[in-house]
């Protein structure tokens, strides 16, 4: 069983910053890819940013320059530094991993429960 625990969400004024964290634990042999998705009310879930085990990153155009994704492989933890936040960044942010299970059990994707980010004055 795998658990993803997100933290760091909250209410922030436009132009402010937040840092999200996602810690993965459980039956994980290795993590291939980690990412953040978000879902705003009435909208589909969308990719915000992702990072491979080698450190290759990918960002949605709407967050490039403003957001930075990083990971600590030793701790199976991922971060999302969000700067210059805008009201349109308001959403529930979900952590996800693509990983290999132990003992050759194959690859799987797991999701966190989400953390609310609200950008409002």
């Amino acid at each position: 069983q795998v658990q993803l625990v997100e933290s760091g969400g909250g209410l922030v004024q436009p132009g402010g910053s937040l840092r999200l964290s996602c810690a993965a634990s459980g039956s994980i042999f290795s993590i291939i890819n980690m990412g953040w998705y978000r879902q705003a009310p009435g909208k589909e879930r969308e990719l915000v940013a992702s990072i491979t085990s080698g450190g290759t990153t990918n960002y949605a155009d709407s967050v490039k320059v403003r957001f930075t994704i990083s990971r600590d492989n030793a701790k199976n933890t991922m971060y999302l530094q969000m700067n210059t936040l805008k009201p349109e960044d308001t959403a529930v942010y979900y952590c996800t991993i693509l990983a290999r299970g132990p003992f050759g059990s194959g690859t799987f994707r797991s999701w966190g429960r989400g953390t609310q980010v609200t950008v409002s004055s």
Side-chain angles (χ1 to χ4, degrees), residues 5-12 16-22 36 66-72 75 77-85 93 115-117:
V5 178
E6 299 124 327
S7 61
L11 172 64
V12 63
S17 298
L18 283 174
R19 188 190 194 214
L20 304 183
S21 299
C22 172
W36 290 98
R66 300 188 297 123
F67 291 9
T68 302
I69 190 171
S70 60
R71 63 188 281 180
D72 184 331
K75 296 181 179 179
T77 301
M78 171 178 62
Y79 308 95
L80 185 68
Q81 178 66 42
M82 305 186 293
N83 298 327
T84 319
L85 282 160
Y93 284 69
T115 184
Q116 177 70 46
V117 171

Side-chain angles (χ1 to χ4, degrees), residues 2 15 23 33 39 48 50 52 65 84 92 94-95 107 114 117-118:
V2 174
N33 181 289
Q39 187 166 20
V48 177
S50 65
T52 68
V65 178
T84 319
V92 178
Y94 297 91
C95 165
T107 59
V117 171
T118 302

Side-chain angles (χ1 to χ4, degrees), residues 83-119:
N83 298 327
T84 319
L85 282 160
K86 304 175 181 180
E88 50 264 43
D89 294 318
T90 296
V92 178
Y93 284 69
Y94 297 91
C95 165
T96 183
I97 65 169
L98 178 66
R100 294 185 181 90
F103 313 114
S105 59
T107 59
F108 63 89
R109 180 168 293 281
S110 185
W111 292 86
R113 293 187 175 184
T115 184
Q116 177 70 46
V117 171
T118 302
V119 184

